[in-house]
Amino acid sequence: MELPDIYRLLKEKGVRPSRQRVLLYLELARREDHPTAESLFRDLKLEIPTLSKTTIYNTMKLFSEKKLVQIIQVDGRESRFAISKEGQGYFYCRDCQKIYDLDLENLPQAAGLPKGAQLEDVQVVFKGRCGAC
């Protein structure tokens, strides 16, 4: 994803595209490791000297409300972040703490939702031990 695309996406979702917001979204779009606020802070603090962890949490909360980002709760200690994708689920390995993306596009139909139900949000996180552990 390129910077002009991110500016346009944020505007379409009603988010003012500040430099910090654009660079945070760009960093998430580049990564597949479902980063924490700490790792985002560590990786962006040189590029954005005014960045704080509070800014990251507030931005991720705003992005989540606008359906741009999913906040993944895998344990009681920290949140992880991922770009929102339709039908996305996750598998969290309790040993290595890696998060794997899962394609759950057909899950709402398979779950037998009541006829006419309007699904607004779903987050599925399976937890266990990955094959490498």
Side-chain angles (χ1 to χ4, degrees):
M1 184 168 261
E2 302 293 325
L3 287 175
D5 299 325
I6 295 170
Y7 275 99
R8 185 172 41 258
L9 176 63
L10 293 181
K11 284 183 179 181
E12 286 172 4
K13 294 287 189 168
V15 175
R16 187 177 58 81
S18 68
R19 181 173 184 269
Q20 290 182 344
R21 290 173 177 168
V22 169
L23 292 177
L24 279 166
Y25 192 88
L26 178 63
E27 183 69 13
L28 277 180
R30 288 180 182 163
R31 296 173 69 154
E32 296 181 11
D33 64 342
H34 310 91
T36 63
E38 177 66 37
S39 64
L40 287 169
F41 177 73
R42 184 180 57 246
D43 295 343
L44 290 172
K45 68 181 177 181
L46 292 177
E47 190 171 358
I48 312 171
T50 58
L51 187 64
S52 69
K53 289 181 201 167
T54 300
T55 298
I56 293 170
Y57 282 114
N58 289 341
T59 300
M60 292 303 125
K61 182 176 183 248
L62 173 64
F63 284 177
S64 175
E65 291 167 358
K66 299 294 184 173
K67 308 287 189 229
L68 291 162
V69 164
Q70 280 198 323
I71 300 173
I72 307 165
Q73 297 292 331
V74 292
D75 59 26
R77 297 179 311 229
E78 64 185 7
S79 299
R80 308 276 286 269
F81 308 104
I83 298 295
S84 288
K85 296 176 189 166
E86 193 75 25
Q88 185 74 46
Y90 305 97
F91 175 81
Y92 171 70
C93 178
R94 293 180 192 272
D95 289 347
C96 67
Q97 285 84 49
K98 184 173 180 183
I99 297 177
Y100 297 84
D101 291 336
L102 302 174
D103 179 6
L104 302 176
E105 191 169 339
N106 296 318
L107 183 63
Q109 294 83 6
L113 289 176
K115 186 173 182 160
Q118 295 182 350
L119 192 60
E120 295 177 4
D121 188 33
V122 174
Q123 186 175 90
V124 177
V125 180
F126 296 95
K127 298 176 184 180
R129 179 182 282 175
C130 71
C133 291

